[in-house]
Amino acid sequence: MIFSQLKNLGVLGINNRVGRYILRHNARSSYPLVDNKVYTAQRAKAWGIAMPENYLIIENYGSLKHFETKIVNYDSFVIKPANGSQGNGIIVIKEVIREEKDGRIRLSFRRSNDKIMELDELKHHISGILSGLYSLAGQSDTAIIQQKIDKHPIFDKYSYGGIPDIRVIVFMGYPVMSMVRLPTKSSDGRANLHQGAIGAGLNLSNGHTNNAVIRNQVVDFHPDTNHTLSDLQMPFWREILELAARCYDMVGLGYLGADIVLTPDQGPILLELNARPGLGIQIANLAGLVPRLEKIRLEGESNLLARQRVEYSMKNF
Ligand SMILES: Nc1ncnc2c1ncn2[C@@H]1O[C@H](COP(=O)(O)OP(=O)(O)O)[C@@H](O)[C@H]1O
Ligand SMILES: [Mg+2]
């Protein structure tokens, strides 16, 4: 699809987005709350919004010293930078391997892509996170060791390696566009478009896929599982949208991207929030954000509950 066609669809250009919507609707003071995943988790807890459990928060090199005595307690986990984005710096460990040697336990770690990491490599990676290698502005950072969420069986044929996530763009508390992102071999357990995951647009009215892309190229089948992408129906659809809409009440950002994951037993939970969500979601849906944002600007009401706003969005988009 050529650029002029996308523009005619109302696809938001980068300057438009930053100038008109993000800057106007997002208070700077709220950014740290979503940019830092530790803060988001604290706020979500106070709001009764479920997120994966944070097992360990590593703030300095000193706490890495006795790392093995703590990590030995977990069977699987995810390492992520508190201030990261686009999947950078995230490692999914699906198995902790414990071997006894000379009366001591030796640890190694199986990644989502089956590569084995030794303890030293893992600590080296965490050091990199602390030094700010993956943080949004290059400042020193905190590493989070987080509970690994397992894949919901509905995604077995649609996802390779890791778990998919459902991105919902929420404007003034109203869901306006959504996609499910499906990990591929190349995205190594992460559902980020920049890592090579599939982005499949979802109809807001019913949670059914409409179109799918990898790196802006339309695809019909998952490249690793060969399964068609056109018949995926999101379970818990209304709950997913309500969870996203409630995140607006929680952090007060007018323009927000909520990343939601489906757990096998707990239903949808929040994974993280984004104050500057990417524009790829429009390509995934072959639809532009501008007309929807304008509609909410004209018709949106500020005194409705999340449930009522979702009702509106499901009817109108
Ligand atoms: N706790 C987790 N369990 C399983 N997979 C995860 C977990 N956290 C992140 N991932 C994978 O990594 C991707 C990116 O994680 P996310 O927290 O959204 O960070 P980022 O800000 O880099 O996008 C997710 O979409 C998911 O596929
Ligand atoms: Mg994300």
Side-chain angles (χ1 to χ4, degrees), residues 37 85-87 90 165 167 181 191-192 259 271-272 274:
K37 293 176 169 72
S85 66
Q86 300 180 346
I90 296 186
D165 72 6
R167 162 66 59 87
R181 296 178 297 186
N192 301 83
D259 289 354
L271 186 60
E272 64 136 352
N274 298 273

Side-chain angles (χ1 to χ4, degrees), residues 34-35 37 51-54 77-92 134 136 145-151 159 162-167 181-183 187-192 195 197 259-261 269 271-274:
V34 301
D35 283 349
K37 293 176 169 72
M51 289 183 72
E53 185 187 343
N54 287 342
F77 57 89
V78 172
I79 306 176
K80 63 172 76 172
N83 284 287
S85 66
Q86 300 180 346
N88 293 322
I90 296 186
I91 292 184
V92 179
Y134 310 101
L136 291 166
I145 309 291
Q146 184 172 84
Q147 168 194 11
K148 178 174 100 62
I149 303 297
D150 291 327
K151 184 157 65 179
S159 178
I163 58 164
D165 72 6
I166 298 132
R167 162 66 59 87
R181 296 178 297 186
L182 308 163
S187 78
D188 185 19
R190 297 161 297 182
N192 301 83
Q195 309 294 343
D259 289 354
I260 291 168
V261 290
I269 67 169
L271 186 60
E272 64 136 352
L273 294 172
N274 298 273

Side-chain angles (χ1 to χ4, degrees), residues 233-253:
Q233 168 64 49
M234 224 40 61
F236 302 103
W237 183 236
R238 193 178 287 267
E239 285 93 324
I240 289 169
L241 293 181
E242 281 186 20
L243 175 55
R246 282 182 66 211
C247 290
Y248 164 74
D249 302 316
M250 176 171 93
V251 299
L253 285 168

Side-chain angles (χ1 to χ4, degrees), residues 3 15 27 36 40 46 54 64 80 91 108 121 142 180 196 210 216 230 233 247 252 258 267 277 303 309:
F3 187 71
N15 294 327
N36 187 312
T40 312
N54 287 342
L64 266 182
K80 63 172 76 172
I91 292 184
S108 56
E121 286 177 84
T142 296
V180 58
N210 50 42
N216 294 343
S230 62
Q233 168 64 49
C247 290
N303 56 351
R309 298 192 301 261

